[in-house]
Amino acid sequence: MKPMRQMVCALLAVTLLIPAAAASPGSGNPLWDVQGHWAQKEIQEAVAAGWVDGYPDGSFQPEKTITRAEFTKLLLDAIHLTPDSETVAWMTETATTKDGRYSEKKYVPILNDMDGHWLTTQGWTDAALYSGMVVPDDYNGKNFRPEKEIARYEIALMTDRALGLVYPANQYAGEDLPFADNAEILDWMKGYVHEAVQAGILRATLTTPSSQPDLHPGRGGGDDSADAP
């Protein structure tokens, strides 16, 4: 678990900041705008590993954000649950759900707004659904809204699932987290955020003037809380 966790930590240090799937091969002075950035080391390692790339002008643009679809693909790729993997094929073939008290039926998860999206046509949506990293019932109307900017608490949820931290997250006592925007984190998500921070797979940033860690859900957070997990 430790090597996988270290790899995911390095990935998260980058994907909390930039839309890697949109980047294209860079040129000129590579990554000139990450010099001195707090995540410079992780960014350079992620580029070397082939997860992300720079822009044609040699920049990296580390302050950009990342969408739900982009993060889903990056995380699945990092933990080797690619659409063509034997593990994903096995999960898809054997997935079942309860059908009454004593029987089971095949599990066929569906997101209503993913037909034709690149995440689906490339096979990543099924990989996310059948691995349990994305659960349709987490989203209002089972609409994933793939191009929406991903919230940090969603990152915590998906990464905890990827690393097998669901049980301890669900055992969380529910006390308030020491973040300036604690009130904006949905109650059922707080255990996942707590585990992600404790495991070092999610960083808190500092706000002013309180100087408390901030896990704000991102742009438009107040309006998003009802349809994000």
Side-chain angles (χ1 to χ4, degrees):
M1 176 69 75
K2 189 174 181 180
M4 178 67 74
R5 183 171 296 170
Q6 290 172 339
M7 179 173 63
V8 172
C9 286
L11 172 65
L12 291 181
V14 180
T15 57
L16 281 172
L17 298 172
I18 52 92
S24 56
S27 59
N29 182 19
L31 311 184
W32 54 265
D33 57 345
V34 305
Q35 301 302 314
H37 193 278
W38 69 266
Q40 177 180 344
K41 179 176 180 289
E42 289 88 348
I43 291 171
Q44 291 173 334
E45 289 176 350
V47 170
W51 290 336
V52 295
D53 212 332
Y55 286 86
D57 64 354
S59 69
F60 192 77
Q61 303 180 24
E63 299 309 317
K64 282 197 172 184
T65 54
I66 187 169
T67 68
R68 285 174 173 170
E70 290 166 343
F71 181 77
T72 298
K73 176 183 180 297
L74 284 167
L75 184 55
L76 286 167
D77 203 7
I79 61 176
H80 309 298
L81 288 179
T82 55
D84 59 350
S85 72
E86 292 183 2
T87 302
V88 169
W90 177 82
M91 288 177 172
T92 303
E93 181 66 26
T94 60
T96 59
T97 188
K98 288 185 177 180
D99 184 19
R101 294 184 61 182
Y102 304 108
S103 61
E104 294 183 337
K105 63 181 179 181
K106 183 170 179 55
Y107 176 55
V108 183
I110 296 174
L111 290 168
N112 292 325
D113 59 344
M114 294 302 292
D115 286 351
H117 191 274
W118 64 264
L119 199 71
T120 299
T121 59
Q122 294 180 18
W124 297 100
T125 298
D126 279 350
L129 290 170
Y130 282 102
S131 67
M133 201 175 78
V134 171
V135 177
D137 287 343
D138 288 347
Y139 302 89
N140 278 354
K142 299 185 179 181
N143 292 313
F144 187 56
R145 297 175 177 85
E147 296 308 313
K148 183 176 179 179
E149 178 182 331
I150 194 167
R152 290 190 178 185
Y153 49 67
E154 293 178 80
I155 288 174
L157 173 64
M158 294 171 71
T159 308
D160 284 352
R161 285 172 172 167
L163 294 179
L165 298 174
V166 171
Y167 179 78
N170 287 332
Q171 303 307 305
Y172 187 63
E175 62 266 23
D176 284 345
L177 297 166
F179 302 126
D181 56 349
N182 175 74
E184 297 183 38
I185 304 172
L186 302 181
D187 286 343
W188 73 273
M189 288 292 304
K190 289 182 178 180
Y192 292 95
V193 173
H194 176 265
E195 287 303 314
V197 173
Q198 290 296 309
I201 58 177
L202 186 64
R203 297 186 186 211
T205 58
L206 295 179
T207 64
T208 55
S210 67
S211 294
Q212 290 180 300
D214 178 13
L215 281 171
H216 193 279
R219 189 187 325 146
D223 293 335
D224 295 347
S225 60
D227 61 42

